[in-house]
Amino acid sequence: MPSSYAALYYHLVWSTKYREPLIQPEWKDRLYAYIGGILRERECKLLVAGGIEDHVHLLCSLGREDSIRDTVQAMKTNSSKWLRTELRPHFHWQDGYGAFSVSPSAIAPVDGYIRNQEEHHRKLTFEEEMLAIFKACGIECDPRFFERR
């Protein structure tokens, strides 16, 4: 094959520092648009973003030369600087993140899941949500990892 191609989709999740409820409904769409711009600059694409006041979910396609670590770092670093300058002076993201691969056939269900975060969290806590995602992906973890500090 004379060229290289990739279809790499990821469901990314991270929270605010100490999972404080800092993301306000009136500006979260601006935050998602800003994150989408960061991805476009990296020749990646934000397919959908959602979340509630203490965490975000993103469905993204990454370029074939991008690493998840570097892409997430760029999104978190640049968006937190923008938020501190424009909207929330003491805003910080948590250090870690979750990155879960998504097959092309699962894009629609993951999209729906992310779009319905507010409804979803009327029934399930962040801890329960993340433990279910980890279990579905076969990732073992300590449940205390998701507790508020």
Side-chain angles (χ1 to χ4, degrees), residues 77-95:
T77 299
N78 292 315
S79 66
S80 63
K81 286 178 186 176
W82 175 77
L83 282 164
R84 285 193 299 272
T85 301
E86 297 291 322
L87 300 166
R88 193 87 191 203
H90 302 289
F91 189 92
H92 294 279
W93 294 116
Q94 73 173 11
D95 289 334

Side-chain angles (χ1 to χ4, degrees), residues 13 15 18-19 52 54-55 57 113 117 120-121 123-135 141-149:
V13 184
S15 73
Y18 306 121
R19 293 216 354 268
I52 60 171
D54 67 353
H55 71 280
H57 289 257
Y113 178 83
Q117 278 293 293
H120 183 71
H121 282 289
K123 302 172 191 163
L124 210 59
T125 66
F126 176 77
E127 294 90 344
E128 292 166 332
E129 174 185 46
M130 293 308 298
L131 288 171
I133 291 171
F134 274 45
K135 184 177 180 180
C141 71
D142 185 339
R144 292 177 295 178
F145 175 74
F146 301 112
E147 294 174 355
R148 287 184 192 248
R149 295 182 188 180

